[in-house]
Amino acid sequence: MPRFSLIVPCFKVQGFLRECLDSVLRQSFGDFELIAVDDCSPDGCGAILDEYAGRDPRVKVLHLPENVGLGRARNAGMPLATGDYLLFLDSDDTLTPGALRAVADRLREADDPDVLVFDYARTYWWGGTRRNVLAQVLAEAGPGTFAVSEYPRILDLLMVVWNKVYRRDFVTENGFAFPPGYYEDTPWTFPVLLSARRIAALDRICLNYRQRRQGNILSTTSRKHFDIHDQYERVFAFVAERPELAGWRPYLHRKMGEHCLDILAKPDRLPPADKAEFFRRTAEMFRRHRPEDALVDGEVAVLEGSWTAYRLRRQTVRAGREAARRADRARRAAAARARSGWAALHTHRPLDENLVVYSASSHRGLLGDPAAVYAAAREIAPGLRGVWVVRDAETAAGLPADVEHVILGSRRCLEITARAKFFVNDVNWPGALAKRPGSVYIHTHQGTPLKYVGADLLDKPGARLGFDVPQMLRRADRWDHSLVASRHSELVWERAYPCHFASARTGSPRNDVLVRGGAGDFRERYGIPADHRVVLYAPTRRDYRRGGHVERIDLARFAADLGEGHTLVVRLHPTLASGPARGMGLTELARRGIVVDATDEPRLADVLLAADVLVTDYSSVMFDYANLDRPIVLHADDWPAFTASRGSYLDITAEPPGHVAHSYRELAWLFASGAWRDEESERLRADFRARFCEFEDGRAAERVVRTLLLGEPMPEPAPRVPGPSVTPGALTSA
């Protein structure tokens, strides 16, 4: 008996079907059967299914003699199922890699609940991906099981069949089945969830929900959308037969009203001539099923009035929104004029020679090189006044109490930036900030460059999508000093930013703590045993994939292969922190203690200090970590695609900081054999440090403060190991 029975109804989806089937058959968890139902599809679906069944015994195909629709096609597949759990997968959607393994593990942890609800992401025809906006409902459900009465928020999720797995015996015992017509998920999902005694949640994206440009049944203009009324009649009948569910009638009554009004409001659902009838039928049903204790207010209150009143209300709402938008635009324009006028008043005042304005990572707080310079200035030059620009009040609330700050765009911010002598930032300041004569802009950058940046992106249209290179260079024209950690960085910055700045061979201030071998409390805060070897995995983003995230390693497998005595710590690229990347498994693995998620750690140095070895692909974090003189392993399984899309200043696979794995098998072997820390690894790392950490001596922040802020003399750092000079010809092009 397999663990899962996946039922896949198919009708006129030949263009998407192979991708759907492959997403199932390539799962790392193989204990399943795939029951494909050919709903008398007029295209090539039937032949594709037979082809797959001939290749893989896990695929069973049922050819229906006539088209019965999505719901009844699912019903036809259920009697063939023998698995412990049922999963209904639409044939234009796909499972994410590792989804079945994650679901199986969660079912085991929850001791086989009746229903498991998992997360999904919408994938759009133009390449975009957006995670379920209510994913937090799953995250907050906790590790145990619950009934709907104990956690009613689970009903806030999209009421569809395909974001859940169902214990087959539970389905059979209750006789659940799909009705005909549109919106067939409604009279399945509500009865199932209300009947389940034990529900579990999985905060992981297990399914990609394809958003087609055309062809989505529910986006087709048709009278078939009137089926929604019959589907809710079935839900109300189900509840009426079960007195113990009577308390849910007010909720379902309101839900029905909201659902029908949503259909009515969408421009592509109902024929215009039928909208009045749809409203009247909805209103009649709403009155007929209204419980005595139902609260009718807000949006659904319109169902107690007439069609004419509904139309007038819609017109009033639309007019109000447009007026509010116009008023908001006028307010913003007036505020901008007032702020700029206020700032202009201060440009006539002399610069404050002791005022230093800091910002980092697009105004996200005390981070990176600017934070290190700020800390050094407070110690070395207490006469300097440091003020941070932060993006919003929430960021400001996270600053230490003694840190002076201003909110970006505020009148106070404009006043401070109009009078400051010094500016320290690791990204460009906003274009509206005019550089005053005599002011000094110190640009720290965000790491040693490996991939193309600046003007070099002009030949990489994919990497600079939405990125205005000429505007960026105009902003870089304000730089006076560019901090560098090596001659490699110096040459790259001068090539990529053809502007009028001077390179300052200071080293990277944020790396001083690494060079000096500082200590951190990361291990202690995350409960990592003192005798564990910490393996840090820090992948970068990919420019050849919209959204930047590509799953390169099965984290659960890697953690298992590392074995006892190891802790796998994962830190995603900052641009992936708020997207769907963590929902692809990282969040759930961290909850179960299989990995530690360090993506949100504000101080990268603390994470690096805790790691015994770094595994990365092409992240610039390798250049920082090399200062610790600890092993580094590169996982470079897509280097040609990466360089073709983004470009690189050197072939990191030919000049690596350690051993290079071109596949997961090679990566696992390096750790199993111990080669990751052999003599060859040490030699590669020494050469790498000599070239790319050339000016890192642990005094970079002090050097910036003394030489660039105070104007005091201080010797440049001596190169660690004398070597041949790097020439511009050494920079490779993709």
Side-chain angles (χ1 to χ4, degrees):
M1 179 184 297
R3 187 59 165 161
F4 298 109
S5 293
L6 291 95
I7 299 176
V8 184
C10 307
F11 183 74
K12 296 175 69 173
V13 288
Q14 62 180 8
F16 307 109
L17 183 54
R18 291 182 184 275
E19 186 180 0
C20 172
L21 299 176
D22 288 341
S23 76
V24 176
L25 298 177
R26 292 173 182 170
Q27 289 286 311
S28 58
F29 184 89
D31 187 17
F32 64 82
E33 61 183 2
L34 193 160
I35 302 169
V37 182
D38 172 18
D39 191 15
C40 198
S41 185
D43 59 5
C45 285
I48 293 172
L49 295 178
D50 290 339
E51 173 193 334
Y52 274 75
R55 295 202 312 251
D56 195 316
R58 293 174 298 180
V59 179
K60 303 175 183 178
V61 180
L62 174 63
H63 295 281
L64 299 182
E66 61 180 1
N67 177 250
V68 298
L70 182 58
R72 287 188 288 184
R74 290 170 178 159
N75 291 341
M78 278 196 281
L80 303 180
T82 62
D84 297 328
Y85 280 85
L86 302 175
L87 191 158
F88 298 96
L89 178 65
D90 287 354
S91 48
D92 56 351
D93 296 337
T94 57
L95 295 183
T96 61
L100 290 185
R101 167 62 65 186
V103 171
D105 290 346
R106 183 72 181 97
L107 290 173
R108 183 176 63 253
E109 179 188 45
D111 193 22
D112 286 1
D114 298 325
V115 180
L116 171 68
V117 187
F118 54 77
D119 203 8
Y120 66 92
R122 296 175 187 266
T123 57
Y124 295 87
W125 61 270
W126 42 266
T129 299
R130 183 168 63 90
R131 189 177 186 181
N132 166 28
V133 295
L134 294 175
Q136 196 64 25
V137 173
L138 295 171
E140 295 174 359
T145 60
F146 52 87
V148 169
S149 58
E150 298 166 316
Y151 190 61
R153 286 187 64 199
I154 200 69
L155 294 178
D156 292 340
L157 297 174
L158 194 62
M159 286 291 102
V160 290
V161 67
W162 41 256
N163 64 348
K164 308 170 185 71
V165 294
Y166 313 86
R167 189 166 56 82
R168 186 166 60 90
D169 288 346
F170 164 71
V171 171
T172 303
E173 291 164 4
N174 286 274
F176 295 127
F178 294 93
Y182 280 16
Y183 305 100
E184 74 291 334
D185 287 5
T186 299
W188 167 281
T189 307
F190 281 118
V192 163
L193 290 180
L194 293 176
S195 301
R197 295 181 179 178
R198 299 179 64 247
I199 302 171
L202 173 59
D203 181 21
R204 185 196 194 277
I205 298 172
C206 295
L207 182 139
N208 287 322
Y209 175 31
R210 188 187 301 273
Q211 306 294 289
R212 289 201 246 170
R213 183 171 181 269
Q214 294 180 349
N216 187 319
I217 293 176
L218 291 185
S219 295
T220 304
T221 303
S222 167
R223 281 186 61 86
K224 289 288 289 179
H225 293 283
F226 279 78
D227 289 352
I228 189 65
H229 300 121
D230 291 338
Q231 306 298 20
Y232 271 102
E233 290 287 5
R234 293 182 172 97
V235 174
F236 289 131
F238 179 87
V239 172
E241 294 172 358
R242 293 161 176 79
E244 69 276 12
L245 299 180
W248 288 103
R249 290 183 63 229
Y251 171 85
L252 294 170
H253 173 256
R254 187 180 191 90
K255 191 74 173 180
M256 181 274 294
E258 293 173 346
H259 196 167
C260 292
L261 287 173
D262 181 62
I263 294 170
L264 183 61
K266 285 184 166 54
D268 59 351
R269 298 295 172 90
L270 293 161
D274 296 324
K275 289 190 174 185
E277 180 187 352
F278 186 90
F279 177 86
R280 286 191 289 270
R281 286 185 57 178
T282 301
E284 187 278 327
M285 186 176 177
F286 189 76
R287 289 190 294 271
R288 180 159 42 86
H289 286 286
R290 177 178 177 176
E292 293 182 1
D293 55 345
L295 179 63
V296 179
D297 60 357
E299 180 186 11
V300 296
V302 298
L303 291 172
E304 296 204 324
S306 66
W307 164 245
T308 301
Y310 167 79
R311 291 181 63 193
L312 289 173
R313 183 178 184 276
R314 291 277 298 172
Q315 292 169 1
T316 302
V317 169
R318 284 195 294 266
R321 287 173 180 167
E322 180 57 31
R325 279 195 294 267
R326 288 196 299 267
D328 185 56
R329 285 196 297 267
R331 280 195 300 270
R332 288 201 302 268
R337 287 193 298 271
R339 287 195 301 268
S340 60
W342 179 262
L345 291 175
H346 290 275
T347 59
H348 298 294
R349 300 173 63 186
L351 293 176
D352 185 337
E353 298 290 327
N354 295 316
L355 179 56
V356 188
V357 177
Y358 297 89
S359 182
S361 299
S362 299
H363 319 295
R364 291 195 297 113
L366 272 72
L367 302 169
D369 289 315
V373 174
Y374 172 75
R378 296 187 71 172
E379 180 180 344
I380 299 169
L384 294 177
R385 174 190 175 194
V387 180
W388 280 83
V389 176
V390 294
R391 59 184 176 181
D392 51 34
E394 182 180 356
T395 305
L399 299 176
D402 61 343
V403 173
E404 187 177 357
H405 65 273
V406 292
I407 306 296
L408 180 69
S410 66
R411 180 178 292 184
R412 183 63 176 157
C413 177
L414 292 172
E415 177 187 343
I416 289 291
T417 54
R419 297 205 56 216
K421 169 74 172 183
F422 300 101
F423 293 80
V424 182
N425 199 347
D426 59 6
V427 294
N428 266 315
W429 291 96
L433 179 59
K435 179 177 171 62
R436 290 187 63 185
S439 62
V440 178
Y441 281 55
I442 300 170
H443 194 77
T444 69
H445 303 284
Q446 288 188 320
T448 297
L450 170 61
K451 51 196 175 188
Y452 275 9
V453 293
D456 290 329
L457 292 175
L458 288 171
D459 291 330
K460 297 294 177 183
R464 62 179 173 85
L465 182 66
F467 181 62
D468 189 334
V469 174
Q471 181 189 71
M472 177 272 301
L473 293 178
R474 286 192 295 271
R475 294 180 180 183
D477 283 333
R478 296 173 296 186
W479 301 354
D480 292 289
H481 302 285
S482 166
L483 306 190
V484 300
S486 66
R487 279 171 283 185
H488 163 82
S489 297
E490 185 174 313
L491 290 165
V492 169
W493 299 139
E494 291 180 6
R495 160 181 161 163
Y497 299 98
C499 306
H500 301 289
F501 57 80
S503 293
R505 294 182 173 182
T506 58
S508 300
R510 70 185 180 283
N511 288 337
D512 287 347
V513 65
L514 304 180
V515 177
R516 295 195 300 263
D521 62 349
F522 180 85
R523 288 184 179 232
E524 182 179 332
R525 284 190 288 112
Y526 283 88
I528 299 174
D531 60 343
H532 269 218
R533 176 176 293 136
V534 173
V535 179
L536 171 61
Y537 176 52
T540 192
R541 63 176 290 116
R542 301 304 199 272
D543 291 290
Y544 61 76
R545 176 69 61 84
R546 187 181 291 271
H549 176 65
V550 179
E551 198 84 16
R552 307 309 310 176
I553 291 179
D554 182 334
L555 297 176
R557 180 182 179 186
F558 188 31
D561 288 344
L562 288 173
E564 292 292 330
H566 292 78
T567 294
L568 178 60
V569 176
V570 180
R571 184 178 176 89
L572 297 179
H573 191 276
T575 61
L576 303 176
S578 59
R582 294 163 94 170
M584 295 295 286
L586 178 56
T587 298
E588 174 65 10
L589 293 175
R591 183 192 67 79
R592 291 167 51 202
I594 295 175
V595 304
V596 172
D597 181 5
T599 303
D600 290 335
E601 280 293 311
R603 284 177 47 84
L604 174 61
D606 289 347
V607 184
L608 300 183
L609 286 166
D612 297 298
V613 53
L614 169 68
V615 178
T616 186
D617 35 39
Y618 325 115
S619 171
S620 63
V621 74
M622 73 177 82
F623 298 97
D624 296 349
Y625 190 76
N627 285 287
L628 289 168
D629 196 19
R630 299 175 189 172
I632 301 172
V633 176
L634 293 190
H635 182 239
D637 65 337
D638 65 341
W639 177 245
F642 181 85
T643 54
S645 61
R646 180 60 186 254
S648 63
Y649 293 110
L650 67 145
D651 183 352
I652 196 65
T653 64
E655 304 174 78
H659 287 297
V660 180
H662 297 282
S663 66
Y664 178 76
R665 183 177 181 181
E666 292 181 11
L667 178 66
W669 178 86
L670 285 172
F671 280 92
S673 65
W676 60 276
R677 55 174 179 170
D678 61 12
E679 292 184 2
E680 176 65 6
S681 171
E682 293 181 11
R683 183 190 68 78
L684 292 169
R685 188 167 69 253
D687 292 344
F688 188 84
R689 292 176 68 228
R691 179 177 176 186
F692 299 109
C693 305
E694 189 177 5
F695 305 137
E696 304 277 34
D697 66 351
R699 301 181 67 189
E702 177 191 0
R703 188 170 289 107
V704 172
V705 174
R706 293 194 184 281
T707 63
L708 302 184
L709 299 183
L710 299 178
E712 300 176 356
M714 186 173 175
E716 287 188 356
R720 291 191 175 195
V721 179
S725 297
V726 182
T727 63
L731 301 175
T732 62
S733 298

